[in-house]
Amino acid sequence: MDSGRSLRLRLSDYHISPHLGFLLEDAMEVLPEYFQVWNHLASPPVYIPLIESHGLRQEVDKMPVLDHSRLSGHRQLQLAHLQLSILVNGYVWQDGDHGVSKRVPRCLSVPYCGVSRLLDVQPILSHADVVLANWVAIDKQRPITIENIRILYRLPGGEEGAWFFQATVSVELAFCSALQPIVLALEATDTGDDVTLVKCLKDIASTIKDMKTAVSRMHDGLSADTFYNVTRPFLTGWGGDGSPLPEGLVYEGVNDEPLEMTGGSAAQSSTVQCLDAALGITHAPDVQAFLDRMKPYMPRPHREFLNDVRERSRIAPYVRSSSNEKLKTAYRDCIASLVEFRSYHIQIVTKYIIVASSKKRQEDEKYRSVSKKGTGGSSILPFLKSSRDTTKQMDGSM
């Protein structure tokens, strides 16, 4: 957005809700009758048994090539992308590393890549699919909490796997209360309103603490064994060193050459990247490059919001040049809360990936290629520690 059009970034211009943040409101559960074969094969009662019996590919290969142009509206497109993402990842990974498919058939790839182009996102299962567009409230009359969320489409892992996505939805929900303070904080630096800026920074710090509490609920319903060995492999991408698909995946009827894609990753969430952008945090070149590479996996309006917040924010230099100790303290509290959040994320990853990986011999692993890597394929601990450390450095610069 051109900052000359308006001093205020309007959330509605970016398809962002002040109450739900980046989450999709009123997600559809099924597509029209024409797309019934997608509805059927992607539905958990059908999809999960087919994965467990190694029969998904056989059923997918029978599918006709449906005309994705018959989809109408953003919610239908979003649901179609979710369903096709689930089917593509299941098709590729149902037999583990040694039985990986190097291509997906036209009946999947043609509509999948078509829908991806219309949404301007990548043709792979992403955070936007399995989190942002994959939930509904159980009781719409009650507050939306982790217990009042139902996951629509599942990867293997049963109720524990569903809990992983519920907990991640709850982190997105916790972030919502930071959106208006971020927008107001940007304006406050333009007008020199220290009082408002201090209040906004306090609200942002409080929100980050709530996000940490939301992440901690992961332990309540998800074991490390289920996440590492059952659910996590189906979030894996293709391409690069160590992958059973080092050159990527062929999308038949679309690309003759294989395409490399990053799997679903927390870095594809706009929440922490938005906090970084607002607070003026820039990471080490390799880390920042990876975070920037995750933006095309986000819905286009959301990544535009991140770019505009980054471009507009003068919070860090404003605080740095100020003699207002209350302002400096409020900013440091934000940084401290974000450092604590990132440190806690390291603890989560240590439990669910690093320790889980060490509990079994790697040669016995069905999905050996993802050992000790993030779901996005990165070497996860060095990445997270670097992100935390560069965040911590912002405190000293004040």
Side-chain angles (χ1 to χ4, degrees):
M1 178 182 295
D2 183 354
S3 60
R5 285 171 48 192
S6 171
L7 284 175
R8 171 170 291 191
L9 299 180
R10 295 182 301 178
L11 298 178
S12 59
D13 289 344
Y14 302 91
H15 297 179
I16 299 171
S17 163
H19 309 294
L20 295 175
F22 300 109
L23 293 166
L24 180 66
E25 191 171 9
D26 296 326
M28 294 187 67
E29 298 191 41
V30 293
L31 292 171
E33 180 65 26
Y34 173 77
F35 299 98
Q36 180 56 27
V37 66
W38 297 356
N39 290 327
H40 175 70
L41 289 180
S43 65
V46 175
Y47 177 80
I48 300 300
L50 283 174
I51 290 290
E52 292 172 346
S53 66
H54 306 277
L56 180 67
R57 285 181 196 161
Q58 182 179 356
E59 294 304 313
V60 166
D61 286 336
K62 299 175 186 176
M63 288 189 350
V65 181
L66 299 183
D67 180 5
H68 69 277
S69 69
R70 295 179 62 166
L71 294 163
S72 175
H74 179 75
R75 284 177 175 77
Q76 284 192 14
L77 287 170
Q78 200 68 64
L79 176 55
H81 200 273
L82 168 59
Q83 290 183 347
L84 293 170
S85 294
I86 291 280
L87 293 174
V88 166
N89 275 41
Y91 193 98
V92 172
W93 294 112
Q94 72 167 27
D95 295 331
D97 285 359
H98 298 296
V100 67
S101 176
K102 297 181 179 180
R103 33 73 68 186
V104 287
R106 292 175 56 92
C107 59
L108 277 181
S109 59
V110 170
Y112 189 37
C113 291
V115 170
S116 299
R117 282 192 296 271
L118 291 172
L119 288 172
D120 197 9
V121 295
Q122 300 300 310
I124 191 171
L125 187 70
S126 69
H127 179 87
D129 295 307
V130 287
V131 177
L132 302 186
N134 193 27
W135 71 282
V136 290
I138 298 171
D139 183 349
K140 294 185 178 181
Q141 306 305 314
R142 291 170 45 214
I144 301 175
T145 63
I146 191 171
E147 289 84 8
N148 193 28
I149 292 168
R150 178 167 60 86
I151 298 302
L152 298 177
Y153 291 86
R154 300 185 179 190
L155 297 174
E159 293 301 321
E160 289 188 52
W163 184 261
F164 169 69
F165 297 117
Q166 284 175 252
T168 310
V169 169
S170 73
V171 176
E172 295 280 344
L173 285 168
F175 171 77
C176 297
S177 58
L179 283 164
Q180 291 290 1
I182 285 172
V183 171
L184 293 174
L186 301 187
E187 296 176 24
T189 60
D190 292 339
T191 59
D193 185 350
D194 285 13
V195 173
T196 296
L197 184 54
V198 168
K199 181 182 185 307
C200 290
L201 290 172
K202 287 182 177 179
D203 290 343
I204 293 168
S206 177
T207 292
I208 297 170
K209 293 173 184 175
D210 291 342
M211 291 170 64
K212 180 191 169 187
T213 300
V215 171
S216 73
R217 294 297 308 274
M218 197 76 71
H219 302 294
D220 296 349
L222 176 65
S223 69
D225 179 69
T226 295
F227 177 72
Y228 181 82
N229 294 302
V230 184
T231 302
R232 180 171 168 264
F234 288 85
L235 291 167
T236 305
W238 28 82
D241 294 340
S243 171
L245 295 168
E247 297 179 351
L249 183 71
V250 172
Y251 294 73
E252 289 188 347
V254 180
N255 291 89
D256 294 330
E257 298 298 322
L259 298 177
E260 294 188 35
M261 292 285 160
T262 302
S265 166
Q268 294 166 357
S269 169
S270 299
T271 56
V272 177
Q273 289 219 44
C274 185
L275 292 167
D276 282 346
L279 296 172
I281 299 167
T282 301
H283 298 284
D286 59 331
V287 172
Q288 193 63 49
F290 177 78
L291 292 172
D292 290 341
R293 287 201 305 273
M294 292 303 96
K295 288 182 180 178
Y297 295 82
M298 302 174 183
R300 179 183 52 78
H302 297 174
R303 62 182 185 255
E304 289 179 350
F305 181 70
L306 295 187
N307 292 337
D308 288 347
V309 169
R310 173 76 69 178
E311 182 180 344
R312 280 286 313 279
S313 182
R314 301 292 181 269
I315 294 174
Y318 183 91
V319 174
R320 192 176 293 115
S321 64
S322 174
S323 59
N324 186 331
E325 285 304 318
K326 288 185 178 179
L327 183 55
K328 289 182 179 293
T329 298
Y331 182 87
R332 289 191 184 111
D333 286 346
C334 273
I335 294 300
S337 297
L338 191 51
V339 169
E340 187 176 351
F341 178 85
R342 284 191 150 117
S343 294
Y344 192 72
H345 190 197
I346 291 171
Q347 293 179 38
I348 292 281
V349 166
T350 299
K351 171 184 175 178
Y352 285 101
I353 297 179
I354 307 303
V355 174
S357 173
S358 67
K359 284 186 176 178
K360 58 190 303 185
R361 296 170 57 198
Q362 289 191 15
E363 59 265 31
D364 294 334
E365 290 185 39
K366 183 179 179 182
Y367 298 98
R368 185 178 180 184
S369 64
V370 299
S371 177
K372 296 187 180 179
K373 289 182 179 289
T375 50
S378 60
S379 297
I380 189 70
L381 279 188
F383 172 86
L384 293 177
K385 288 178 179 178
S386 176
S387 301
R388 179 196 60 192
D389 293 345
T390 51
T391 303
K392 190 182 297 184
Q393 289 170 9
M394 294 297 294
D395 190 347
S397 72
M398 294 296 145

